[in-house]
Amino acid sequence: MLLIVCFVMGVANFAMHKAVSESGHPFVEETKRYFSPHFRPYGSYAIELALLMGALWFAHDGSLAVALTYGVYTGINAVATWLLLSGRT
């Protein structure tokens, strides 16, 4: 069950990541310039994938603490996405 929950949170994280990446927000555009020279154009997605793979690995082993930590990470991403897309920042 932890594996499925982490996978669904990972899908949500990638969806939020894409929405923010395509938002055109000045902070996001500045961040893209940081990643672009080294990992064109998907460097931030690689980091997101690494986090998801780690969470899935530990969830497969039954680690509730890591699944909860990944849940907190997803919640923080949701708040940050809402702030950026709603223009509150």
Side-chain angles (χ1 to χ4, degrees):
M1 187 64 172
L2 285 177
L3 196 62
I4 294 169
V5 171
C6 281
F7 178 77
V8 170
M9 287 189 292
V11 170
N13 280 324
F14 272 97
M16 290 184 283
H17 190 109
K18 181 175 178 162
V20 168
S21 293
E22 295 175 353
S23 71
H25 191 277
F27 175 74
V28 176
E29 294 304 315
E30 181 68 28
T31 306
K32 283 181 185 178
R33 281 189 255 154
Y34 173 75
F35 281 106
S36 292
H38 307 291
F39 304 106
R40 294 181 198 232
Y42 302 109
S44 57
Y45 286 104
I47 294 169
E48 193 74 53
L49 179 63
L51 289 171
L52 174 60
M53 295 303 291
L56 289 173
W57 182 286
F58 282 104
H60 179 32
D61 288 340
S63 175
L64 181 60
V66 172
L68 289 174
T69 302
Y70 194 65
V72 169
Y73 169 73
T74 302
I76 291 169
N77 273 348
V79 170
T81 299
W82 175 70
L83 287 171
L84 285 171
L85 296 182
S86 67
R88 296 184 189 266
T89 56

